[in-house]
Amino acid sequence: MFFGYYSPVHPVPLSDDPTLRLLAARPRDPHQDRAMRNILNPPLHLGLAEAFRRAGFRKWYERELLSSHAHLVLAFLSLVAVFAALEASRDGGPAERLVNLVYVLLSAAIGAWALRRYLFLLTRAEGVANQAQCESCGEYGRFKVVAPHGGSDEAEVCCRRCQHHWVISGLA
């Protein structure tokens, strides 16, 4: 079978099938396949504008809240692990106590990180949600992204109802 290069990235076999020809002629982004595999876990470097473009505000907000509460669950589980390691260290020799001390410190560090991440994600989501209402018509969460504004954590948006423009910042 002869392989032709319709795409600059992937060789595609020549065929009379119009669907294959259409797919082969389409330009491909090298990161597209990886990004499409896991739509629930977008790359961490996405700016606010790109995140809104990909999922929309309401789904972005829901995912941020789910992610933040998952970190809260992790913080709670690490607290349980701290208490379990403290309980286990009551009995046993010095080597077991040292191992349990390492478990306590590790669980406490994971819990502190998870709690900090929970608070960051929740505060960011609520801050953005407070800016998602159009000042002109009062429509909530129904906007389209016009362009990234300033840094990666700001987006210029436009209301779908009245076409009013404003800037939403993830740093607020």
Side-chain angles (χ1 to χ4, degrees):
M1 177 183 268
F2 176 76
F3 284 88
Y5 283 92
Y6 287 103
S7 170
V9 179
H10 301 286
V12 177
L14 290 174
S15 172
D16 291 333
D17 186 11
T19 307
L20 286 178
R21 287 190 182 273
L22 182 65
L23 288 174
R26 164 177 74 107
R28 296 183 62 132
D29 181 18
H31 303 290
Q32 179 183 13
D33 291 339
R34 191 184 74 204
M36 287 178 63
R37 268 188 254 140
N38 192 356
I39 61 171
L40 296 178
N41 191 12
L44 295 175
H45 65 277
L46 280 184
L48 205 56
E50 184 62 28
F52 289 161
R53 264 196 199 107
R54 283 190 178 191
F57 168 72
R58 292 177 192 240
K59 284 189 179 185
W60 173 86
Y61 181 66
E62 179 182 352
R63 288 176 186 166
E64 287 289 306
L65 289 180
L66 286 172
S67 178
S68 68
H69 285 86
H71 283 87
L72 181 64
V73 169
L74 178 62
F76 177 74
L77 290 176
S78 65
L79 181 65
V80 170
V82 165
F83 287 136
L86 285 173
E87 180 69 26
S89 69
R90 290 177 51 194
D91 302 328
E96 289 180 10
R97 286 185 181 200
L98 184 62
V99 169
N100 285 328
L101 177 66
V102 170
Y103 288 151
V104 166
L105 293 176
L106 184 64
S107 297
I110 291 172
W113 172 82
L115 187 62
R116 184 170 185 255
R117 187 75 182 152
Y118 162 72
L119 292 173
F120 168 75
L121 290 172
L122 186 66
T123 305
R124 180 177 181 224
E126 290 301 318
V128 170
N130 287 336
Q131 302 172 51
Q133 186 170 6
C134 178
E135 298 165 357
S136 295
C137 66
E139 188 75 17
Y140 177 76
R142 298 217 43 222
F143 54 80
K144 61 183 176 185
V145 177
V146 176
H149 187 269
S152 66
D153 235 17
E154 291 183 341
E156 183 180 350
V157 296
C158 174
C159 179
R160 291 186 190 269
R161 180 191 282 178
C162 69
Q163 307 303 320
H164 173 72
H165 288 252
W166 75 96
V167 175
I168 293 180
S169 174
L171 304 174

